[in-house]
Amino acid sequence: MIPVRDVIPSRTTPVVTLALLAAMGAACAWPAVREWWLPWAAHAVVVWLAGGTLEDRFGHARFAAFAAACAAAAYAAPLAAGRDAGLLWAACGAVAGLIAAYLVVFPRARILTLIPVVIGVEVTDVPAWAVFALWAMLQGAGAWSLLTWTAPADAVGLATSVAAGAVVGTLGGLVLPRPDRMRVEWWDPPPRRR
């Protein structure tokens, strides 16, 4: 399954999302990111899928502040719990915040997905929660490997970061959408007249 984009139309160019993706690409030169390339690639896919639509509904400045707040909460939470924090954990928490906000704002959203079949590729739309559940399973597998093989304290830090980012994301999804940007006339059906 290869997620391509969400099916919700946007009216603006997602400049903040594109800047985040560029920064994530530049961070690939960092050795720690190269070790965690698969989760990092999954983070980039989630930023691509959820970021542009959220940015369109929040506005550029609100979205930038929201993404920074998710990352800051994800970085600070392990420190408050007496654990080490790292930029990779902050990225995991920030992405969890994006997912939480996206699912709050668009609970029935769908993601256009390429699914390889025996001969060729089928294009279908899949519920967004299913695509994001795959991201969560990948993070869970990463935490499990930390817990069982290398650094149990890092697994706790990762879980704390993801939880903090998700809480901030849920709150942001409830508060930040601009009401004037939630309706897209050419997408939403017109309201019924009585």
Side-chain angles (χ1 to χ4, degrees):
M1 182 165 79
I2 304 166
V4 178
R5 66 176 305 271
D6 68 344
V7 298
I8 300 169
S10 295
R11 293 169 287 234
T12 58
T13 302
V15 292
V16 176
T17 299
L18 294 173
L20 285 172
L21 289 169
M24 291 177 79
C28 288
W30 188 31
V33 172
R34 279 185 272 156
E35 287 180 24
W36 287 78
W37 67 270
L38 185 58
W40 197 257
H43 295 342
V45 168
V46 169
V47 170
W48 171 252
L49 294 173
T53 308
L54 285 174
E55 185 175 348
D56 183 63
R57 297 313 192 270
F58 289 6
H60 302 300
R62 282 184 184 193
F63 179 73
F66 167 72
C70 288
Y75 187 80
L79 295 176
R83 303 287 181 189
D84 289 335
L87 295 178
L88 289 174
W89 304 158
C92 292
V95 171
L98 286 179
I99 290 172
Y102 189 89
L103 292 176
V104 165
V105 176
F106 308 108
R108 293 184 302 270
R110 301 188 71 80
I111 304 291
L112 188 64
T113 307
L114 303 175
I115 300 176
V117 291
V118 176
I119 299 174
V121 175
E122 182 177 323
V123 179
T124 188
D125 55 347
V126 176
W129 63 264
V131 174
F132 296 144
L134 289 175
W135 176 87
M137 287 191 293
L138 182 62
Q139 299 309 307
W144 179 257
S145 71
L146 287 172
L147 189 61
T148 57
W149 299 104
T150 56
D154 285 348
V156 174
L158 173 61
T160 306
S161 293
V162 168
V167 167
V168 171
T170 301
L171 295 174
L174 293 171
V175 174
L176 291 175
R178 294 174 44 183
D180 59 316
R181 291 192 174 196
M182 287 307 293
R183 184 163 178 78
V184 180
E185 289 75 21
W186 51 272
W187 176 261
D188 294 329
R192 294 174 53 179
R193 294 184 186 183
R194 294 182 182 187

